Amino acid sequence: MDSAHVESDLINILFTEEQIQAKLQEMADRIAADYEGQDLLMVGVLRGAVMVMADLSRSLGRHVEMDWMAVSSYGSGTKSSGVVRILKDLDTDISGRHVLVVDEIIDTGLTLSWLISNLSSRNPASVEIATLLRKPEALSMPVEPKYVGWDIPNEFVVGYGLDYKERYRNLRDIGTLAPHVYS
C-alpha cells in the first residue's frame, strides 16, 4: 500500500521505501561481516518484524536459517501493557547457536528485554538484536541492540510492519500516525 492511500491518517512520512531498503542493506552488510564463517539463526518477532526480516534476510549474501516467535505486550492499544506473553515459541533448538533477534522497533524495551533473557537461558552461543527503529526517549528497560537502523522520536509510527489495530502494516513507508486516528 502506498502512503497516498492513507495520506489523511499520517502527519508525515519519516522514511520512504527506498530509504528503508538502503538502510537494511547497510545493516545486512554489517551482519554478514560480523558473522562471517558462522552459522546464523535469525529469529523474527511476529507480526511486526515480518517485513524487516524478509528484506533484511534477502539483503544478506549468505545462507541464514530463520525461525519466528510471537510475543505480546501491547494488545490493541498504543501503549505497552507491561505483561509479556509468548504466543508462539521457537521451533528450533538454539543451544550453541548464534541468534540474531530481528524486530521492527524498540519502544519501551520491555518485550525485547524479556525475550533476550528468555533466549539467553536456552544456552545459545550468542544473542544479539537487530532493529530497524528505536525510540531512545521511550526506553524503560535496558536493551542494547547491536544493529539499529534509525533512532526516532517518541511518536506513534506505522507502516512497514508497524500497525495500529492490525492496520497500516502493509504501508511501504514509515510515517507518524495522526492522533485523530487513535484518539
Side-chain angles (χ1 to χ4, degrees):
M1 175 171 59
D2 189 87
S3 56
H5 294 105
V6 292
E7 193 172 25
S8 66
D9 293 353
L10 302 175
I11 295 172
N12 64 332
I13 300 298
L14 293 174
F15 306 106
T16 65
E17 180 179 18
E18 294 77 20
Q19 290 172 309
I20 294 167
Q21 294 306 316
K23 184 59 73 175
L24 289 173
Q25 185 61 61
E26 284 177 29
M27 292 171 68
D29 292 345
R30 285 189 52 217
I31 291 165
D34 290 350
Y35 289 96
E36 186 165 344
Q38 299 174 349
D39 268 344
L40 178 61
L41 172 66
M42 294 175 69
V43 174
V45 182
L46 291 171
R47 293 180 208 146
V50 169
M51 309 295 187
V52 175
M53 180 84 148
D55 289 343
L56 182 62
S57 66
R58 288 188 295 214
S59 295
L60 288 167
R62 56 169 294 168
H63 294 286
V64 293
E65 269 187 69
M66 290 186 256
D67 202 345
W68 298 91
M69 286 188 81
V71 294
S72 177
S73 69
Y74 277 85
S76 62
T78 61
K79 301 263 190 239
S80 175
S81 68
V83 177
V84 180
R85 299 180 307 140
I86 293 180
L87 306 175
K88 185 230 175 275
D89 206 344
L90 294 174
D91 296 323
T92 307
D93 178 7
I94 65 169
S95 181
R97 305 285 309 270
H98 293 284
V99 176
L100 180 63
V101 176
V102 178
D103 209 352
E104 81 282 14
I105 192 166
I106 298 175
D107 199 327
T108 63
L110 173 70
T111 303
L112 270 180
S113 175
W114 182 90
L115 183 58
I116 295 306
S117 176
N118 180 286
L119 293 175
S120 295
S121 73
R122 302 180 193 194
N123 301 314
S126 66
V127 179
E128 298 290 351
I129 302 168
T131 185
L132 184 60
L133 304 173
R134 174 177 57 185
K135 294 181 183 179
E137 296 168 21
L139 281 174
S140 62
M141 296 292 290
V143 176
E144 297 295 329
K146 187 168 184 177
Y147 310 98
V148 177
W150 291 285
D151 284 333
I152 63 170
N154 190 15
E155 298 172 342
F156 196 82
V157 294
V158 294
Y160 200 72
L162 296 152
D163 76 301
Y164 174 65
K165 293 188 175 181
E166 295 304 320
R167 298 185 64 177
Y168 307 99
R169 283 193 198 278
N170 60 327
L171 180 61
R172 294 172 203 243
D173 304 322
I174 296 173
T176 306
L177 192 62
H180 74 81
V181 176
Y182 58 88
S183 333

